[in-house]
Amino acid sequence: MYVTLKKVLKDADQLNMAIGAFNTHNLEMLPAIIKAAGKQKSPVIIQTSCGTANYVGHKNLVAICKSMAEEYRVDVVLHLDHAKDFGEIRKAISAGYSSVMFDGSSLPFKENILGTKQVVNFAKEYGVSVEAELGTVGGTEDGVVVSQDEVFYTDPKDALEFVAETGIDALAVAIGTNHGQYMSKTDIGFDRLKQIKKTVDIPLVLHGGTGVKDSDVKKVIDLGIRKFNVGTELLIGWNRKSKECYDFNKENISNRDNVVPCLEKIEEIVSRKIILFKNINE
Ligand code: 13P
């Protein structure tokens, strides 16, 4: 079914698992993600930046998520990632997105609360879930760079106030992960995450999932991470496979011969991540 973020994260909480939130960059990549989720019988969150949503068309994304959720009998959420602008949020909700993230992380604390509240009030009228961020995740996301000097981690006390004041459904935390980190792995602040989990009783979201070691996945899930964002790993997988195919294949072959191997790569990465996120003790 086509569902909200709130619904899948509630289910994940009961099962002590995380739901993979995968960034699609174009229309082509999207079915491969849902197919992988269908085969693994796991809910999935498709997320798009505002840039991708405007490029592909919000309504096209909504239509595909809805039809594939039925075809593959799997819960699918369509989520707008890192929206800083209220107009972008309104556009996505009007087109039928079931979840949005308001990213006020670069704003002063009180302004972040005010902006987030405004989004929650609007989204609630449509039954749409809201994620917001407190603290800043480093690295590069959709061309926006946050340098290490600008990074500040989530303060558990602030998190308590932020969640109580805003009424959000999920909180993105800054605990040492970085967007776009694919050449190395990061050191996660587990103690900070533990403190946040103790003070806040809503599902927590991890950004910059590409840079997280496999061996840390279980630890962060056991400490309350319920939405696990992965973007760059898919992009790198697609781009490397694509380069290989275009270099190898003749220029007058069907375009599918270059694209299908990339889709298989996406399915493989997403399946592997979903299995990790199920957090099943072997
Ligand atoms: P990565 O691209 O680093 O995996 O992060 C994705 C993300 O957090 C999207 O918001």
Side-chain angles (χ1 to χ4, degrees):
M1 283 204 337
Y2 183 65
V3 294
T4 62
L5 184 69
K6 189 174 179 173
K7 195 249 176 227
V8 294
L9 298 191
K10 188 169 175 240
D11 294 347
D13 206 37
Q14 279 162 2
L15 296 167
N16 188 34
M17 63 179 282
I19 309 298
F22 300 98
N23 288 77
T24 186
H25 289 257
N26 53 24
L27 199 49
E28 202 72 32
M29 205 185 261
L30 169 56
I33 302 172
I34 300 182
K35 269 187 204 166
K39 284 185 192 161
Q40 296 303 327
K41 299 193 186 329
S42 167
V44 71
I45 301 156
I46 299 293
Q47 47 188 22
T48 72
S49 63
C50 300
T52 301
N54 286 315
Y55 161 65
V56 176
H58 298 73
K59 289 197 173 159
N60 295 330
L61 289 157
V62 171
I64 291 183
C65 286
K66 284 186 175 168
S67 70
M68 287 198 74
E70 294 309 317
E71 186 183 347
Y72 286 86
R73 295 168 186 274
V74 69
D75 279 352
V76 177
V77 177
L78 179 59
H79 174 83
L80 186 70
D81 195 23
H82 289 287
K84 291 178 186 286
D85 177 54
F86 191 72
E88 290 292 343
I89 287 187
R90 196 166 25 212
K91 222 191 298 179
I93 292 179
S94 306
Y97 271 57
S98 61
S99 177
V100 293
M101 173 188 189
F102 173 68
D103 180 356
S105 60
S106 58
L107 299 172
F109 183 60
K110 293 288 176 195
E111 286 177 41
N112 191 359
I113 289 182
L114 283 177
T116 305
K117 252 177 155 169
Q118 187 193 15
V119 170
V120 170
N121 289 341
F122 181 75
K124 272 209 175 126
E125 282 182 37
Y126 294 82
V128 168
S129 307
V130 178
E131 171 189 340
E133 178 171 322
L134 190 61
T136 43
V137 176
T140 306
E141 174 63 25
D142 208 32
V144 179
V145 182
V146 177
S147 71
Q148 286 305 311
D149 301 346
E150 293 168 295
V151 168
F152 69 94
Y153 298 128
T154 308
D155 177 323
K157 277 202 250 56
D158 286 351
L160 179 67
E161 186 181 340
F162 188 76
V163 169
E165 288 281 321
T166 57
I168 50 171
D169 300 298
L171 177 70
V173 291
I175 51 167
T177 56
N178 299 296
H179 286 120
Q181 184 175 355
Y182 72 97
M183 306 285 266
S184 60
K185 295 294 173 191
T186 199
D187 288 324
I188 291 180
F190 294 108
D191 282 343
R192 183 174 295 276
L193 181 56
K194 202 181 283 177
Q195 291 309 316
I196 299 168
K197 159 100 175 122
K198 261 190 203 158
T199 50
V200 165
D201 66 353
I202 62 168
L204 303 177
V205 182
L206 185 138
H207 282 248
T210 297
V212 175
K213 296 179 202 103
D214 281 359
S215 56
D216 285 346
V217 169
K218 180 173 176 43
K219 291 187 203 164
V220 296
I221 293 175
D222 288 344
L223 290 173
I225 293 296
R226 296 289 169 248
K227 174 173 180 274
F228 203 118
N229 289 7
V230 180
T232 305
E233 191 167 338
L234 302 185
L235 204 56
I236 298 294
W238 175 289
N239 289 346
R240 285 188 180 153
K241 183 55 84 181
S242 182
K243 204 167 175 302
E244 204 181 292
C245 291
Y246 280 99
D247 281 348
F248 178 78
N249 288 325
K250 288 191 183 143
E251 62 185 15
N252 61 347
I253 60 154
S254 162
N255 194 256
R256 284 196 305 278
D257 290 348
N258 292 321
V259 173
V260 171
C262 303
L263 297 178
E264 288 166 354
K265 188 74 202 167
I266 296 298
E267 246 192 88
E268 178 195 315
I269 297 171
V270 171
S271 299
R272 207 181 79 75
K273 292 286 175 191
I274 288 178
I275 291 168
L276 275 175
F277 300 159
K278 282 183 180 169
N279 197 22
I280 293 166
N281 291 315
E282 294 299 318

